[in-house]
């Protein structure tokens, strides 16, 4: 593996670890700086998480657009330096408002996944992009696993330890990138930065005008909203339905993340060769519907633990969709495309937790008309069905032509 690609994957891992790394210590940390009870701490924790997602949503296309203008290298290196400084600020924060400021800055610096994807698009041929985007997804899965596990271990050394560790990791990766990351934006594909394109909704609208991309953006967004059911309600679902302890919940999430990394880092290449990009997207949707419905109605904890990693076999959807959309836009718009996708993912991170936790509450209250803790998974299955219908009803013409050939 080329050193530059390794740097990109480490950067994505750090981005995806940004939330999970500090989750284990956030309740104690917020109570420490606020002097309040756990319920109030939970409310502030929700505010901090939402703030992080909002910043990613707003700045995803800005970061992507800046990388199209100034290059991938300076954007990624500067983001890592600021990320390291931000974690240091949060490590010494003595007030909730300083923590909130830290999450604002952290959300901005973690919006670099758009630039990482654009770098992968720059160095990949048209036939390799979907598989290389799978490496990005695998790196995200690794961070999804490592974040909570590392945060839980470091919490033994105090509420501030995970922040210091994150700062050190970001700084070391910035140094590594300084020496190995070459610039991939040439004068041939460099484009001027325009705020109109950097508007998160504006960039999505702009790309929606590209023939065949609009419906794919809808499919991508629906999938992200459905997928976010896992971080949104898994811990509540496991406790309510199976009486799981935190250790079991953490183990199940780790199993899911490991399998997601395996699927997007390796298995997807075999699936793409077998089914093509369009067939891979369809397979992923069909498999996801079955997995979500099974989780919605499962009542045995052991069966749920078996289903959890198996559900990750549908994780081929995102890289396959990215590969299709990447082919539909010009070489000088790869950063803008990935910025729009980052914004769509962040918007899903804002919307999905509210919808999924609300659904969970509605079906688990003492006076609920119908008791079903897995109702959010059933809702996710419905969203996946809608996405599949849109994908089949509005097929990307260039993909159909390729598959037919």
């Amino acid at each position: 593996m080329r050193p530059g690609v390794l740097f990109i994957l480490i950067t994505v891992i750090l981005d995806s670890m940004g939330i999970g790394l500090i989750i284990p210590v956030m309740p104690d940390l917020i109570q420490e700086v606020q002097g309040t009870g756990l319920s109030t701490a939970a409310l502030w924790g929700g505010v901090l998480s939402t703030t992080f997602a909002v910043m990613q949503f707003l700045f995803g296309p800005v970061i992507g657009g800046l990388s199209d203008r100034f290059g991938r290298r300076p954007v990624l290196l500067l983001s890592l330096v600021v990320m390291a400084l931000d974690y240091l600020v949060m490590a010494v924060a003595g007030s909730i408002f300083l923590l909130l400021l830290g999450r604002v800055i952290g959300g901005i610096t973690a919006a670099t996944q758009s630039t990482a994807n654009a770098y992968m698009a720059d160095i990949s041929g048209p036939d390799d992009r979907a598989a290389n985007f799978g490496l990005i997804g695998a790196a995200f899965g690794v961070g999804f696993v490592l974040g909570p596990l590392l945060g839980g271990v470091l919490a033994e050394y105090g509420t501030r330890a995970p922040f210091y560790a994150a700062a050190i990791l970001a700084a070391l990766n910035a140094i590594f990138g300084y020496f190995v990351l070459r610039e991939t934006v040439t004068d041939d594909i460099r484009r001027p930065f325009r705020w109109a394109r950097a508007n998160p909704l504006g960039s999505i609208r702009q790309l929606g005008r590209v023939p065949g991309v609009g419906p794919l953006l809808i499919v991508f967004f629906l999938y992200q909203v459905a997928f976010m059911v896992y971080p949104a309600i898994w811990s509540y679902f496991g406790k309510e339905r199976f009486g799981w302890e935190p250790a079991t919940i953490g183990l199940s999430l780790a199993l899911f993340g490991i399998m997601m990394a395996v699927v997007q880092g390796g298995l997807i290449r075999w699936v793409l060769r077998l089914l093509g990009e369009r067939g891979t997207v369809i397979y992923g949707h069909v498999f996801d519907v079955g997995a979500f419905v099974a989780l919605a109605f499962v009542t045995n904890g052991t069966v749920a633990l078996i289903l959890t990693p198996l559900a990750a076999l549908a994780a081929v959807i995102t890289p396959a969709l990215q590969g299709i959309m990447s082919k539909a836009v010009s070489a000088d718009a790869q950063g803008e495309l990935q910025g729009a996708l980052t914004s769509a993912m962040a918007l899903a991170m804002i919307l999905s937790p509210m919808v999924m936790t609300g659904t969970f509450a509605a079906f688990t209250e003492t006076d609920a008309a119908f008791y079903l803790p897995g109702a959010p998974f059933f809702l996710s299955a419905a969203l996946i069905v809608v996405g599949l219908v849109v994908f089949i009803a509005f097929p990307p013409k260039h993909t159909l032509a390729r598959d037919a050939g």
Side-chain angles (χ1 to χ4, degrees):
M1 181 181 293
R2 285 176 285 182
V5 174
L6 178 60
F7 164 78
I8 292 295
L9 297 180
I10 294 174
T11 300
V12 174
I13 289 173
L14 292 177
D15 286 347
S16 63
M17 284 174 59
I19 297 178
L21 183 68
I22 63 176
I23 282 178
V25 300
M26 286 308 288
D28 291 338
L29 179 61
I30 295 174
Q31 287 181 288
E32 179 183 312
V33 300
Q34 280 286 89
T36 57
L38 184 60
S39 59
T40 303
L43 293 175
W44 274 110
V47 171
L48 295 175
S49 297
T50 300
T51 299
F52 187 91
V54 168
M55 291 300 103
Q56 279 194 307
F57 169 68
L58 294 177
F59 283 88
V62 174
I63 299 297
L66 287 173
S67 76
D68 283 338
R69 170 63 181 86
F70 298 105
R72 318 300 183 207
R73 175 183 164 89
V75 168
L76 288 168
L77 294 182
L78 180 60
S79 295
L80 282 166
V81 171
V82 175
M83 178 186 291
L85 294 174
D86 176 61
Y87 277 124
L88 287 177
V89 170
M90 294 189 70
V92 299
S95 72
I96 191 66
F97 297 105
L98 197 54
L99 289 176
L100 183 61
L101 176 62
R103 288 288 80 187
V104 169
I105 298 173
I108 296 172
T109 59
T112 52
Q113 188 172 344
S114 60
T115 306
N117 280 323
Y119 178 91
M120 282 298 199
D122 294 340
I123 66 171
S124 304
D127 294 336
D128 298 327
R129 283 177 179 169
N132 284 337
F133 287 143
L135 290 176
I136 297 287
F140 184 89
V142 170
F144 183 82
V145 174
L146 290 181
L149 291 179
L150 183 59
V153 171
L154 292 173
E156 297 294 323
Y157 301 95
T159 58
R160 312 292 176 146
F163 297 98
Y164 285 116
I168 292 172
L169 290 173
L172 290 176
N173 196 41
I175 295 171
F176 176 55
Y178 179 83
F179 289 104
V180 304
L181 187 67
R182 65 177 181 85
E183 185 54 68
T184 57
V185 175
T186 64
D187 290 338
D188 292 336
I189 64 173
R190 193 182 305 277
R191 68 189 304 181
F193 177 82
R194 294 190 178 92
W195 281 108
R197 291 180 179 271
N199 180 302
L201 295 178
S203 65
I204 295 175
R205 287 197 299 269
Q206 180 81 13
L207 288 169
R209 299 189 183 101
V210 178
V213 172
L216 294 176
L217 286 171
I218 294 173
V219 175
F220 182 86
F221 177 72
L222 289 173
Y223 172 72
Q224 294 301 324
V225 173
F227 175 81
M228 291 299 169
V229 69
Y230 291 110
I233 64 100
W234 187 253
S235 58
Y236 308 103
F237 169 73
K239 186 176 181 63
E240 174 70 20
R241 178 59 106 178
F242 312 118
W244 281 350
E245 297 295 327
T248 306
I249 293 171
L251 173 63
S252 63
L253 287 174
L255 289 172
F256 182 86
I258 291 170
M259 182 59 76
M260 194 170 86
V262 169
V263 169
Q264 295 193 332
L267 184 60
I268 186 174
R269 297 174 185 270
W270 178 80
V271 177
L272 285 168
R273 285 196 298 268
L274 182 65
L275 301 177
E277 289 174 339
R278 183 171 181 268
T280 297
V281 173
I282 293 174
Y283 146 75
H285 277 75
V286 172
F287 194 95
D288 240 350
V289 170
F292 282 137
V293 171
L295 287 170
F297 294 106
V298 66
T299 57
N300 183 283
T302 301
V303 174
L305 283 174
I306 295 172
L307 286 174
T308 302
L310 291 178
L313 290 173
V316 296
I317 295 174
T318 296
L321 279 174
Q322 285 176 305
I324 294 172
M325 286 186 279
S326 182
K327 292 178 181 177
V329 303
S330 59
D332 67 351
Q334 293 297 324
E336 182 182 9
L337 169 63
Q338 301 305 331
L341 296 182
T342 299
S343 288
M345 290 176 64
L347 188 59
M349 289 174 64
I350 295 168
L351 176 64
S352 187
M354 295 186 293
V355 173
M356 297 303 176
T357 55
T359 302
F360 178 82
F363 283 87
T364 55
E365 292 178 346
T366 55
D367 58 347
F370 185 71
Y371 177 77
L372 184 63
F377 292 107
F378 193 77
L379 174 59
S380 288
L383 292 172
I384 292 295
V385 169
V386 174
L388 179 59
V389 170
V390 173
F391 184 77
I392 293 175
F394 301 95
K397 294 181 181 178
H398 64 282
T399 304
L400 282 178
R402 172 180 166 77
D403 290 346

